[in-house]
Amino acid sequence: MDTTAPSLIAPLPGSLPPHRVRYLPITDRPRIRWPNDARVALWIAPNVEHYEYLPPRDPQRNTWTRSPHPDVQGYGYRDYGNRVGFWRMTDVLDQFGVVATASTNLAVFDHYPEVGAAMVERGWEIMSHGIYNTRYISSIDETAERAFYIECIEALRSHTGQQLRGMLGPAVSNTTLTPDLMAEAGLIYHADWFHDDQPVPLATRSGQRLVSVPYSMELNDVPVFTQHFDTSEFVAMAKAQLDVLRREADDGAGGRVMCVALHPYLMGMPHRVDGLAAMLDYLMSHDDVWQTTASRIAEHYLDHHYDNFVAHEPEPPSMPPRLGTADGNGSAVRAGAGTAAGRSQGYEFGPAVHQHGMDHPYYDWSPLPHRGRFKWPGRSPLAVSAVIILEHVEWEPPADAYSLRRRSGGLARLPAPDYPQLTIREYGHRVGIFRLLDLLDRHGIAATVAVDALTAEHYGWLASHLVERGCEIAGRGIAATQLITSKTSEADERDAIARSIDAIESAIGIRPTTWFSAEGVESFRTPALLAEAGIDTVLDWPNDEQPVLMTTEGVLAGVGNPPDTPPMVSLPLFLEADDEFALWHRRVPLDGWREIVTGAAARMHHDGAEHPAGSRLLMLTLRPWLAGQPFRVPTLDTALTQVMALGNIHTATASELAAHARSTLR
């Protein structure tokens, strides 16, 4: 297969397919000089993104990998970034005078104009990150990709007046034609190449100049935090990066580039934002650091260094050159005429109507700074509550049942019966649950226990015991091995909800009004069908730090709320502190988990007292088989001691919190 860049006259000397970039070792290059003889050009790249609730299907890449669309956990996690995290993060960037290069899904300007206006007011450069982060360019043909750049350019100009100068592909997606089409559209830099510490010329078929400005997948909060590192380690990495680059900038190659990539749903978390301040306090304290934007780096390089790099011939190495040429027979390698064959997907970027607000009907867009003041009883700045999950894994799940591909607990997924998966959860029902309840009682923290149908049906004594201890019981579907997803028919979903609620009512004599979907997975219909069944409080959406009113009436044809059913309230879980998310998936050390809980609580407590939006909510999710292990309980005990020592903490069950929120937010 010929992977040469289409229509290039000849491969660049010393380059490898696709012959975009010439090999030029950093030990033998023309010297780069930044303005004012700065050693390092530093650009900060907040990724301001929108992930669609129901994105179109891509033939090569699945947007949400946890479950069929919608993945409300993944969606809500990122929605948190725009509703809350963005504003907390920008406050810190403002504090240090950072002029950011915002890698932006341009539909953000349509859906969330307050976010767009905040970036423009700060003088940030807007770099295209595509239209949505759920629509990739890797599967489209040349005509569609050309139209994509035109839409990006026109969208940015219409919203901001800025001329688009560069791009980071949506979800870092590209085609073999991407640099050519970017250059033809008038863009001057591409941020998808992570191959250097300096800008690098990129060859294009038209000969138009295009520069790679190094972005980072190392100093990037997504891989850092998903690979279990904590905030202090991220800060230490950034400091060390700057120290080394400043030192190396004294060599023959001269000035270096440093990028720090941030995401509001991660770095805007309450337990991380002080780390961002500590990082910037160090990075911005050096006179030889030029804090700038990606386009200014590209423009300076094009004006002063591009031609020198293209013309430079490095000294040959001292060792004898290898015999032969690239094709092995002494002839020059012919440039290919690579095509986009096989990529025939039509141009589908952008919905039929780009409109203000959310891309689903269940709740309104509400950026944190634009809200009225919310208060918990007693003017408590922070409410703390716990949701304990009692879930059952079947010996023989139904053949057509859907369960997560990466189920937690045990070993690698085994054929049924999967003894490790089964018995570890049984440990939670037999031992861990009592350990957690005793701990929460000691700290005076109210508990809501999410119970699936099979647990309610087979553990009647335990269900009654929970009620005796004052716990609220919430519905959770049938089992962890029978999830409700978009692949579930409406009739089957209605039956699953009914079975879950009926099983709990049969076990304890109380019909639940709170719901936490198994594995946090829903279909599009789920909130409306829950409301039809009498549920008025849901715990699936980790999208905020305050309760959110949901609209369910009239969303589905023929589906309505029973008489006198109050409006539904979503109580957002704090996903970062969720024991499964932190300890199992991210493999955070126990001390790191403690710091997440205590750091988030301290910041939320402060913001709840001082911020105009008012009180916050810290909902902790705990699994008896995981957090209830003997070696983990002391860490949770220490964390809760520190949290409750903050003082004036409100605690209540989920339905009690929702009732107060409903009366306040209406």
Side-chain angles (χ1 to χ4, degrees):
M1 177 180 178
D2 190 346
T3 55
T4 305
S7 302
L8 287 178
I9 295 173
L12 299 171
S15 68
L16 294 172
H19 303 296
R20 292 284 184 197
V21 178
R22 180 185 181 193
Y23 178 70
L24 204 60
I26 201 162
T27 55
D28 191 347
R29 295 182 183 178
R31 184 174 182 80
I32 287 181
R33 288 185 170 83
W34 296 130
N36 300 318
D37 289 324
R39 284 185 168 91
V40 176
L42 170 68
W43 64 294
I44 308 295
N47 285 255
V48 184
E49 300 168 335
H50 179 66
Y51 285 73
E52 294 165 281
Y53 180 67
L54 292 172
R57 182 180 179 276
D58 187 276
Q60 297 181 359
R61 183 173 175 181
N62 188 12
T63 305
W64 302 113
T65 57
R66 286 183 71 249
S67 70
H69 307 163
D71 177 1
V72 297
Q73 185 181 100
Y75 179 93
Y77 192 31
R78 287 157 179 82
D79 186 30
Y80 174 97
N82 294 325
R83 298 169 70 87
V84 181
F86 172 85
W87 309 98
R88 183 178 283 133
M89 193 173 76
T90 53
D91 285 346
V92 175
L93 297 176
D94 290 348
Q95 178 185 343
F96 292 94
V98 170
V99 179
T101 303
S103 175
T104 306
N105 296 142
L106 296 173
V108 164
F109 287 97
D110 295 304
H111 291 282
Y112 316 123
E114 299 89 341
V115 172
M119 294 189 290
V120 172
E121 289 167 4
R122 287 164 170 78
W124 289 7
E125 174 187 330
I126 307 300
M127 173 176 71
S128 171
H129 197 24
I131 307 299
Y132 293 101
N133 225 36
T134 40
R135 304 205 180 190
Y136 316 119
I137 61 176
S138 49
S139 300
I140 61 177
D141 61 22
E142 180 173 352
T143 300
E145 188 173 357
R146 183 175 286 110
F148 164 71
Y149 298 115
I150 293 172
E151 181 176 359
C152 288
I153 291 167
E154 292 179 349
L156 183 62
R157 183 184 295 120
S158 67
H159 286 296
T160 71
Q162 289 188 27
Q163 175 64 40
L164 183 63
R165 308 297 279 163
M167 188 182 83
L168 177 71
V172 200
S173 60
N174 290 266
T175 73
T176 57
L177 296 168
T178 294
D180 301 317
L181 298 176
M182 287 179 63
E184 290 174 19
L187 278 63
I188 65 170
Y189 74 88
H190 196 192
D192 288 32
W193 298 69
F194 317 131
H195 60 158
D196 214 291
D197 286 333
Q198 293 184 321
V200 172
L202 294 175
T204 64
R205 65 185 179 185
S206 63
Q208 290 167 294
R209 301 197 302 177
L210 185 69
V211 176
S212 164
V213 174
Y215 183 72
S216 181
M217 278 295 173
E218 292 287 329
L219 282 179
N220 185 316
D221 53 7
V222 169
V224 166
F225 295 136
T226 57
Q227 297 299 320
H228 84 251
F229 296 106
D230 63 22
T231 308
S232 62
E233 289 170 305
F234 189 32
V235 174
M237 290 162 64
K239 290 180 177 180
Q241 179 103 339
L242 182 65
D243 290 345
V244 171
L245 292 178
R246 289 178 63 234
R247 183 169 66 246
E248 290 180 347
D250 288 331
D251 66 15
R256 302 304 207 263
V257 173
M258 176 173 171
C259 175
V260 181
L262 308 170
H263 294 72
Y265 74 94
L266 291 172
M267 212 64 207
M269 285 284 173
H271 58 288
R272 293 198 179 109
V273 74
D274 287 344
L276 176 60
M279 179 191 297
L280 293 175
D281 186 55
Y282 186 80
L283 301 182
M284 300 289 285
S285 67
H286 297 81
D287 293 337
D288 56 4
V289 171
W290 175 35
Q291 199 283 298
T292 187
T293 65
S295 69
R296 290 175 187 165
I297 293 171
E299 288 165 354
H300 181 88
Y301 183 82
L302 285 166
D303 290 343
H304 300 280
H305 303 292
Y306 181 96
D307 292 337
N308 291 338
F309 270 66
V310 171
H312 182 70
E313 291 293 340
E315 292 293 326
S318 57
M319 61 184 293
R322 295 177 64 185
L323 299 177
T325 55
D327 67 355
N329 61 15
S331 60
V333 178
R334 181 181 63 85
T339 67
R343 293 195 309 274
S344 58
Q345 178 182 325
Y347 181 66
E348 295 182 348
F349 288 83
V353 178
H354 288 254
Q355 61 186 10
H356 175 261
M358 310 309 302
D359 58 351
H360 60 79
Y362 287 117
Y363 58 79
D364 292 332
W365 161 240
S366 176
L368 191 68
H370 293 227
R371 301 178 191 173
R373 189 167 187 84
F374 174 76
K375 299 176 184 176
W376 292 118
R379 297 182 176 272
S380 296
L382 178 64
V384 176
S385 188
V387 182
I388 299 175
I389 298 168
L390 284 175
E391 58 190 1
H392 187 75
V393 172
E394 300 161 280
W395 288 100
E396 290 286 350
D400 60 348
Y402 183 91
S403 60
L404 292 186
R405 298 175 183 88
R406 285 196 311 152
R407 196 184 313 140
S408 304
L411 305 171
R413 193 164 180 172
L414 304 175
D418 186 341
Y419 277 72
Q421 289 278 352
L422 299 165
T423 59
I424 190 65
R425 284 165 176 78
E426 176 74 0
Y427 178 91
H429 288 61
R430 299 168 67 89
V431 181
I433 179 64
F434 305 104
R435 197 173 279 134
L436 289 183
L437 291 173
D438 289 346
L439 178 61
L440 294 173
D441 284 348
R442 274 203 310 277
H443 291 284
I445 296 175
T448 299
V449 185
V451 176
D452 59 28
L454 291 182
T455 295
E457 291 166 358
H458 294 284
Y459 298 86
W461 183 94
L462 178 56
S464 298
H465 177 77
L466 295 172
V467 175
E468 291 174 3
R469 296 188 69 147
C471 301
E472 177 187 3
I473 307 299
R476 193 171 166 80
I478 296 175
T481 40
Q482 297 190 46
L483 304 186
I484 292 172
T485 76
S486 58
K487 296 181 180 295
T488 310
S489 70
E490 182 173 331
D492 287 345
E493 181 169 359
R494 185 178 277 111
D495 289 347
I497 292 170
R499 179 179 171 187
S500 176
I501 294 173
D502 291 346
I504 291 172
E505 184 176 27
S506 178
I508 65 173
I510 301 171
R511 197 163 181 83
T513 59
T514 297
W515 183 271
F516 185 13
S517 296
E519 305 291 5
V521 174
E522 292 185 357
S523 79
F524 172 81
R525 299 179 297 264
T526 300
L529 293 179
L530 288 174
E532 179 188 61
I535 297 294
D536 60 34
T537 304
V538 292
L539 307 173
D540 295 348
W541 301 71
N543 63 336
D544 215 296
E545 290 177 7
Q546 294 181 329
V548 177
L549 278 179
M550 299 189 79
T551 300
T552 56
E553 189 73 43
V555 170
L556 297 179
V559 177
N561 299 353
D564 302 322
T565 300
M568 183 173 283
V569 171
S570 168
L571 296 176
L573 304 175
F574 192 66
L575 187 60
E576 289 279 331
D578 177 285
D579 59 355
E580 183 180 48
F581 185 82
L583 298 174
W584 192 269
H585 293 313
R586 291 187 55 227
R587 301 293 182 181
V588 172
L590 282 175
D591 282 345
W593 184 43
R594 173 183 54 78
E595 290 172 1
I596 289 172
V597 174
T598 58
R603 182 67 190 220
M604 286 183 181
H605 192 278
H606 172 271
D607 289 350
E610 303 296 333
H611 193 279
S615 302
R616 307 302 165 95
L617 171 62
L618 178 61
M619 289 286 284
L620 300 172
T621 35
L622 305 169
R623 291 157 182 80
W625 65 266
L626 186 59
Q629 292 286 342
F631 70 95
R632 292 191 179 107
V633 163
T635 299
L636 181 59
D637 190 9
T638 300
L640 295 181
T641 298
Q642 292 180 245
V643 169
M644 300 307 287
L646 294 169
N648 197 17
I649 300 291
H650 178 63
T651 183
T653 64
S655 62
E656 292 166 344
L657 293 171
H660 175 80
R662 193 177 293 114
S663 65
T664 302
L665 297 174
R666 269 176 151 170

Tab-separated table of all heavy atoms in Angstrom, residues 333-352:
chain	number	residue	atom	x	y	z
A	333	VAL	N	12.579	6.629	-4.865
A	333	VAL	CA	11.238	6.163	-4.544
A	333	VAL	C	10.229	7.114	-5.171
A	333	VAL	O	10.309	8.317	-5.001
A	333	VAL	CB	11.036	6.123	-3.010
A	333	VAL	CG1	9.631	5.676	-2.688
A	333	VAL	CG2	12.055	5.193	-2.381
A	334	ARG	N	9.284	6.565	-5.921
A	334	ARG	CA	8.295	7.396	-6.595
A	334	ARG	C	7.226	7.832	-5.602
A	334	ARG	O	6.751	7.067	-4.790
A	334	ARG	CB	7.633	6.587	-7.710
A	334	ARG	CG	6.591	7.362	-8.498
A	334	ARG	CD	5.963	6.490	-9.563
A	334	ARG	NE	5.251	5.360	-8.958
A	334	ARG	CZ	3.994	5.441	-8.520
A	334	ARG	NH1	3.356	6.582	-8.595
A	334	ARG	NH2	3.410	4.391	-8.003
A	335	ALA	N	6.821	9.083	-5.714
A	335	ALA	CA	5.727	9.563	-4.877
A	335	ALA	C	4.435	8.896	-5.292
A	335	ALA	O	4.146	8.784	-6.476
A	335	ALA	CB	5.580	11.079	-5.006
A	336	GLY	N	3.685	8.458	-4.335
A	336	GLY	CA	2.415	7.819	-4.637
A	336	GLY	C	1.316	8.825	-4.864
A	336	GLY	O	1.456	10.001	-4.599
A	337	ALA	N	0.232	8.338	-5.360
A	337	ALA	CA	-0.944	9.184	-5.567
A	337	ALA	C	-2.065	8.665	-4.700
A	337	ALA	O	-3.147	8.371	-5.167
A	337	ALA	CB	-1.341	9.170	-7.033
A	338	GLY	N	-1.760	8.538	-3.394
A	338	GLY	CA	-2.698	7.921	-2.466
A	338	GLY	C	-4.108	8.458	-2.617
A	338	GLY	O	-4.311	9.609	-2.928
A	339	THR	N	-5.080	7.606	-2.406
A	339	THR	CA	-6.465	7.997	-2.588
A	339	THR	C	-7.222	7.811	-1.295
A	339	THR	O	-6.709	7.278	-0.319
A	339	THR	CB	-7.137	7.134	-3.667
A	339	THR	OG1	-7.230	5.800	-3.184
A	339	THR	CG2	-6.346	7.176	-4.958
A	340	ALA	N	-8.433	8.263	-1.320
A	340	ALA	CA	-9.329	8.089	-0.176
A	340	ALA	C	-10.301	6.957	-0.435
A	340	ALA	O	-11.433	6.970	0.013
A	340	ALA	CB	-10.084	9.387	0.091
A	341	ALA	N	-9.855	5.964	-1.185
A	341	ALA	CA	-10.741	4.854	-1.541
A	341	ALA	C	-11.261	4.169	-0.288
A	341	ALA	O	-10.535	3.942	0.664
A	341	ALA	CB	-9.984	3.852	-2.404
A	342	GLY	N	-12.503	3.833	-0.344
A	342	GLY	CA	-13.107	3.126	0.785
A	342	GLY	C	-13.704	4.049	1.821
A	342	GLY	O	-14.445	3.609	2.687
A	343	ARG	N	-13.379	5.369	1.759
A	343	ARG	CA	-13.964	6.300	2.730
A	343	ARG	C	-15.082	7.052	2.026
A	343	ARG	O	-14.867	8.107	1.444
A	343	ARG	CB	-12.906	7.276	3.245
A	343	ARG	CG	-11.835	6.633	4.087
A	343	ARG	CD	-11.069	7.701	4.847
A	343	ARG	NE	-10.601	8.762	3.970
A	343	ARG	CZ	-9.477	8.731	3.285
A	343	ARG	NH1	-8.713	7.659	3.347
A	343	ARG	NH2	-9.117	9.733	2.509
A	344	SER	N	-16.255	6.521	2.065
A	344	SER	CA	-17.346	7.099	1.300
A	344	SER	C	-18.450	7.669	2.172
A	344	SER	O	-19.491	8.052	1.676
A	344	SER	CB	-17.945	6.040	0.371
A	344	SER	OG	-18.395	4.930	1.129
A	345	GLN	N	-18.231	7.704	3.485
A	345	GLN	CA	-19.272	8.242	4.352
A	345	GLN	C	-19.570	9.683	3.977
A	345	GLN	O	-18.689	10.482	3.735
A	345	GLN	CB	-18.831	8.166	5.813
A	345	GLN	CG	-19.853	8.764	6.781
A	345	GLN	CD	-19.356	8.699	8.203
A	345	GLN	OE1	-18.697	7.762	8.577
A	345	GLN	NE2	-19.674	9.700	8.986
A	346	GLY	N	-20.813	10.044	3.932
A	346	GLY	CA	-21.204	11.407	3.584
A	346	GLY	C	-20.864	12.394	4.678
A	346	GLY	O	-20.543	12.031	5.804
A	347	TYR	N	-21.009	13.671	4.351
A	347	TYR	CA	-20.713	14.736	5.311
A	347	TYR	C	-21.905	14.910	6.233
A	347	TYR	O	-22.979	15.333	5.805
A	347	TYR	CB	-20.422	16.028	4.540
A	347	TYR	CG	-20.075	17.186	5.425
A	347	TYR	CD1	-18.905	17.174	6.170
A	347	TYR	CD2	-20.915	18.283	5.523
A	347	TYR	CE1	-18.572	18.232	6.981
A	347	TYR	CE2	-20.582	19.349	6.335
A	347	TYR	CZ	-19.418	19.325	7.059
A	347	TYR	OH	-19.102	20.382	7.869
A	348	GLU	N	-21.732	14.560	7.510
A	348	GLU	CA	-22.853	14.572	8.444
A	348	GLU	C	-22.583	15.441	9.658
A	348	GLU	O	-23.251	15.317	10.667
A	348	GLU	CB	-23.156	13.147	8.923
A	348	GLU	CG	-23.648	12.222	7.821
A	348	GLU	CD	-23.979	10.837	8.345
A	348	GLU	OE1	-23.616	10.549	9.499
A	348	GLU	OE2	-24.592	10.063	7.614
A	349	PHE	N	-21.592	16.328	9.571
A	349	PHE	CA	-21.235	17.075	10.758
A	349	PHE	C	-22.318	18.091	11.091
A	349	PHE	O	-22.829	18.785	10.217
A	349	PHE	CB	-19.885	17.772	10.585
A	349	PHE	CG	-18.749	16.816	10.609
A	349	PHE	CD1	-18.391	16.125	9.478
A	349	PHE	CD2	-18.073	16.549	11.779
A	349	PHE	CE1	-17.359	15.219	9.499
A	349	PHE	CE2	-17.040	15.643	11.817
A	349	PHE	CZ	-16.679	14.971	10.669
A	350	GLY	N	-22.611	18.184	12.379
A	350	GLY	CA	-23.605	19.140	12.835
A	350	GLY	C	-25.010	18.586	12.701
A	350	GLY	O	-25.349	17.932	11.723
A	351	PRO	N	-25.856	18.813	13.719
A	351	PRO	CA	-27.248	18.381	13.605
A	351	PRO	C	-27.987	19.274	12.624
A	351	PRO	O	-27.449	20.258	12.127
A	351	PRO	CB	-27.769	18.573	15.036
A	351	PRO	CG	-26.940	19.696	15.576
A	351	PRO	CD	-25.579	19.541	14.945
A	352	ALA	N	-29.224	18.941	12.341
A	352	ALA	CA	-30.001	19.755	11.418
A	352	ALA	C	-30.100	21.187	11.926
A	352	ALA	O	-30.095	22.131	11.149
A	352	ALA	CB	-31.395	19.149	11.239
